[in-house]
Amino acid sequence: MHFSVTSVMKAFAPGSVTAVFAPTESGDESRGASMAIEDGLVADVRAADRTDVVLDGERTEFEPVENLLDELGVTARVELDADVPIGCGFGASGAATLATALSANERYELGRSHDELVQLSHLAEVEAGTGLGDVFIQSAGGLLMDDGRGKRRWEPADIVEYVSYGGMSTSEALGDDELMSRVQTVGRRILTSFPENPSLERVTRDAWAFARELELPTSRVRDTVLEVEAEGGTASMAMLGETVFAVGIDGVLPNSTQISHEGAHLL
């Protein structure tokens, strides 16, 4: 098959932090409360005879990106530049896949719609076991909530601070039926308890209750949340990573970002 090829085209997708989630009955999607953040990932797709993925200068296996390119019917060299830690609860795999989709679509003039690219990215993530809906938040931007009664989106102006101590295996967690059953029960209860337009502080506080009830926080996460609370802020754990995000503080945690209102886009 012949594709026309444009000049080098990059795309950006924001990272995302999921505060609370609950898998749907089908298991291939998730409801929850999540935010897109301005720290994210850039993909630069270039024509190549075989598919290679390069992350921050190092060649790597990146299954959802490779799945996506296969579905689009192209081979390419994908150079990824990440501003967020990989595998630590920032939706980096979703951001990489979505940014790659936007870049490849433009690079090869594939003519796919934005919504179609988002859906293909989501399916590539589900197939790889790396996410259950991060790309929808990363496409829309803002703070997105879906409690089963319809999606709501708003644009908080809060500064979000964060620190990451490492990753957790998303694929292992999503494949743990007992854990996911508990997540579904607790997550649904928390999500339906939120008011119509909760503050980011309220979402974060209830997210911490969610994480603790599921016994997910490590000792480092717990200690950091206590440190934030001692400074008058509110903190919780990103799903799924050994990562703390917080609001209502200034300079307590080493990284600072804001809610990305724009969502994924070409550069």
Side-chain angles (χ1 to χ4, degrees):
M1 185 178 297
H2 173 72
F3 297 100
S4 61
V5 179
T6 63
S7 59
V8 173
M9 180 62 68
K10 296 181 181 180
F12 169 81
S16 59
V17 175
T18 296
V20 181
F21 74 107
T24 58
E25 294 293 343
S26 66
D28 61 1
E29 206 164 308
S30 178
R31 298 191 173 103
S34 304
M35 68 187 105
I37 60 172
E38 289 185 350
D39 292 4
L41 191 145
V42 172
D44 182 357
V45 174
R46 305 182 181 207
D49 292 333
R50 68 172 193 177
T51 292
D52 280 314
V53 181
V54 178
L55 173 64
D56 294 334
E58 298 287 332
R59 184 172 279 107
T60 185
E61 298 286 323
F62 216 122
E63 187 180 347
V65 169
E66 293 161 12
N67 290 346
L68 171 83
L69 292 174
D70 284 345
E71 186 62 33
L72 291 176
V74 300
T75 57
R77 176 183 172 89
V78 182
E79 297 188 0
L80 302 172
D81 184 12
D83 282 337
V84 290
I86 307 297
C88 297
F90 291 97
S93 62
T97 307
L98 180 56
T100 297
L102 297 180
S103 180
N105 187 61
E106 192 73 11
R107 183 80 165 86
Y108 289 97
E109 299 180 354
L110 301 178
R112 305 286 188 118
S113 70
H114 185 87
D115 287 348
E116 188 177 4
L117 294 170
V118 172
Q119 187 62 34
L120 289 173
S121 299
H122 170 63
L123 293 174
E125 273 242 277
V126 171
E127 184 181 342
T130 51
L132 284 179
D134 292 328
V135 297
F136 298 119
I137 294 98
Q138 292 160 348
S139 172
L143 177 59
L144 203 64
M145 183 174 293
D146 182 358
D147 60 8
R149 297 174 293 187
K151 291 181 180 179
R152 309 196 299 279
R153 179 188 177 276
W154 57 105
E155 299 182 349
D158 306 68
I159 300 295
V160 179
E161 295 192 4
Y162 66 88
V163 62
S164 182
Y165 301 112
M168 296 180 174
S169 173
T170 302
S171 57
E172 284 186 17
L174 296 180
D176 185 331
D177 291 342
E178 182 182 350
L179 173 61
M180 285 300 105
S181 177
R182 289 166 53 216
V183 167
Q184 190 175 65
T185 300
V186 179
R188 281 178 174 172
R189 188 180 76 241
I190 297 285
L191 288 169
T192 54
S193 74
F194 283 124
E196 182 64 25
N197 289 301
S199 66
L200 189 52
E201 186 272 339
R202 167 67 185 269
V203 171
T204 304
R205 188 179 75 237
D206 287 10
W208 184 231
F210 170 77
R212 284 182 298 164
E213 186 166 346
L214 293 168
E215 301 178 336
L216 291 174
T218 63
S219 59
R220 286 186 293 193
V221 166
R222 289 178 180 274
D223 289 347
T224 302
V225 170
L226 288 174
E227 179 185 351
V228 169
E229 292 175 344
E231 295 293 329
T234 307
S236 188
M237 172 185 168
M239 301 289 136
L240 289 154
E242 195 181 3
T243 292
V244 175
F245 68 95
V247 294
I249 52 174
D250 182 10
V252 176
L253 302 182
N255 304 288
S256 178
T257 189
Q258 289 181 275
I259 306 296
S260 171
H261 296 166
E262 184 177 2
H265 58 275
L266 293 169
L267 296 176

